[in-house]
């Protein structure tokens, strides 16, 4: 079974778990020459959000979304209860039943968590990752990265516009867009700001913010199994400062008077 997805934001470590062999993959289609430039492409923030919604709809249709009665879906629903409107953002959450240890968030407030992540992290660690991803949305990182991907992939040849509305993307354009987004990464400063947001997110939800450090610590532990030089190692190597981030979040929690959980 081939799955289609773009991994945005944290770029977490892929690993094998007790799921099927389904794993996140990109659409292998490429953009043909049919799309012709009709006018120069200019994208407003509203355009980017519109394309984001189109993109996440395509993603949900082309990946195995956990049904409402699925154990992981129920777990995520319970974990994110009361968070559909947070910090001025409207959010929605779904689980992808793939073995990748990953999560991503889009500029429209869509947050997607992979089953692999939920299998290897505690609820509070998962919540820390979610907070980090929401931080990228709040700080406009996700929007800006998506806009860049649009202009360098799906829209690089220009699209027509009718009535001021940007043209819809084709399946092949969405596939190439996914590849571009998957290969993008955030700056260290953006990651650091998102880490701080995730830390505050935990505090705001009455969760010990030590779990932000512990989530990164979990990733660091998992990196030891990424010895095949494949996608898992590649994903982890995109964030070489994980150890430093573990330490920084731990020091922040200690300074704020929190004690590290024993679990």
């Amino acid at each position: 079974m081939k799955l289609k997805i773009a991994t945005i934001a944290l770029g977490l470590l892929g690993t094998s778990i007790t799921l099927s062999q389904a794993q996140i993959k990109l659409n292998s289609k490429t953009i043909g020459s049919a799309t012709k430039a009709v006018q120069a492409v200019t994208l407003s923030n509203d355009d980017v959000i519109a394309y984001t919604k189109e993109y996440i709809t395509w993603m949900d249709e082309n990946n195995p979304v956990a049904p409402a009665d699925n154990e992981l879906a129920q777990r995520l629903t319970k974990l994110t209860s009361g968070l559909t409107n947070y910090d001025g953002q409207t959010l929605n959450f779904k689980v992808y039943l793939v073995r990748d240890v990953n999560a991503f968030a889009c500029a429209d407030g869509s947050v997607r968590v992979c089953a692999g992540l939920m299998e290897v992290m505690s609820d509070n660690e998962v919540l820390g990752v979610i907070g980090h991803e929401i931080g990228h949305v709040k700080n406009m990182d996700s929007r800006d990265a998506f806009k860049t991907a649009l202009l360098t992939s799906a829209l690089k040849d220009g699209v027509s516009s009718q009535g001021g509305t940007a043209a819809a993307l084709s399946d092949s354009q969405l596939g190439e867009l996914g590849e571009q987004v998957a290969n993008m990464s955030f700056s260290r400063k953006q990651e650091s700001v998102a880490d701080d947001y995730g830390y505050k997110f935990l505090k705001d939800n009455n969760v010990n913010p030590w779990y932000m450090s512990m989530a990164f610590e979990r990733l660091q532990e998992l990196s030891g199994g990424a010895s095949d030089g494949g996608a898992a190692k590649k994903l982890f190597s995109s964030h070489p400062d994980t150890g430093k981030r573990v330490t920084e979040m731990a020091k922040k929690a200690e300074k704020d008077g929190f004690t590290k959980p024993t679990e």
Side-chain angles (χ1 to χ4, degrees):
M1 180 179 182
K2 291 184 178 181
L3 309 176
K4 308 168 186 177
I5 189 171
T7 54
I8 305 173
L10 212 50
L12 303 177
L13 176 68
T15 186
S16 297
I17 58 172
T18 54
L19 296 174
S20 69
Q21 290 303 304
Q23 187 175 18
I24 293 172
K25 293 183 180 180
L26 297 171
N27 188 349
S28 60
K29 296 180 181 179
T30 57
I31 297 178
S33 59
T35 302
K36 299 179 180 179
V38 178
Q39 62 180 38
V41 178
T42 57
L43 292 175
S44 67
N45 289 341
D46 287 343
D47 287 333
V48 175
I49 295 299
Y51 276 126
T52 300
K53 290 180 178 179
E54 182 181 347
Y55 177 67
I56 197 64
T57 296
W58 180 84
M59 293 279 283
D60 288 350
E61 290 174 349
N62 287 279
N63 283 283
V65 175
D69 60 353
N70 177 272
E71 180 180 355
L72 291 179
Q74 293 178 346
R75 180 182 163 197
L76 184 64
T77 296
K78 182 178 180 180
L79 191 60
T80 59
S81 176
L83 293 177
T84 53
N85 289 284
Y86 175 80
D87 196 12
Q89 303 172 96
T90 301
L91 304 169
N92 67 87
F93 305 88
K94 291 183 181 180
V95 176
Y96 282 174
L97 295 176
V98 294
R99 61 190 176 95
D100 300 64
V101 180
N102 217 332
F104 68 92
C106 294
D108 70 331
S110 296
V111 181
R112 300 295 179 263
V113 183
C114 296
L117 181 76
M118 300 189 71
E119 290 283 353
V120 299
M121 287 191 178
S122 69
D123 282 356
N124 289 333
E125 289 168 350
V126 171
L127 199 61
V129 172
I130 289 174
H132 175 100
E133 302 299 337
I134 295 173
H136 279 304
V137 175
K138 184 66 177 181
N139 299 326
M140 307 299 179
D141 301 338
S142 299
R143 184 201 67 188
D144 293 343
F146 192 80
K147 182 176 180 178
T148 298
L150 279 167
L151 294 175
T152 57
S153 60
L155 305 184
K156 67 178 183 289
D157 296 322
V159 294
S160 62
S161 177
Q162 298 180 355
T165 303
L169 299 179
S170 67
D171 184 70
S172 59
Q173 285 176 311
L174 287 163
E176 183 164 335
L177 172 62
E179 185 173 358
Q180 288 291 323
V181 173
N183 290 328
M184 297 190 72
S185 60
F186 296 122
S187 70
R188 293 183 180 183
K189 181 178 180 180
Q190 288 174 316
E191 293 289 6
S192 179
V193 173
D195 290 349
D196 288 340
Y197 189 95
Y199 180 95
K200 182 178 182 299
F201 176 83
L202 291 179
K203 287 182 64 178
D204 287 350
N205 287 281
N206 299 314
V207 175
N208 188 333
W210 255 101
Y211 284 103
M212 194 75 242
S213 174
M214 292 168 67
F216 290 129
E217 192 172 22
R218 187 79 65 191
L219 294 179
Q220 202 169 30
E221 293 170 358
L222 291 170
S223 70
S227 58
D228 61 355
K233 177 173 281 189
K234 180 180 179 182
L235 286 172
F236 189 81
S237 66
S238 67
H239 292 80
D241 292 336
T242 303
K244 182 179 179 181
R245 294 160 78 183
V246 169
T247 301
E248 288 179 346
M249 291 294 100
K251 287 182 177 179
K252 192 177 180 70
E254 288 176 346
K255 183 178 179 180
D256 287 345
F258 291 93
T259 302
K260 185 177 182 179
T262 56
E263 62 179 74

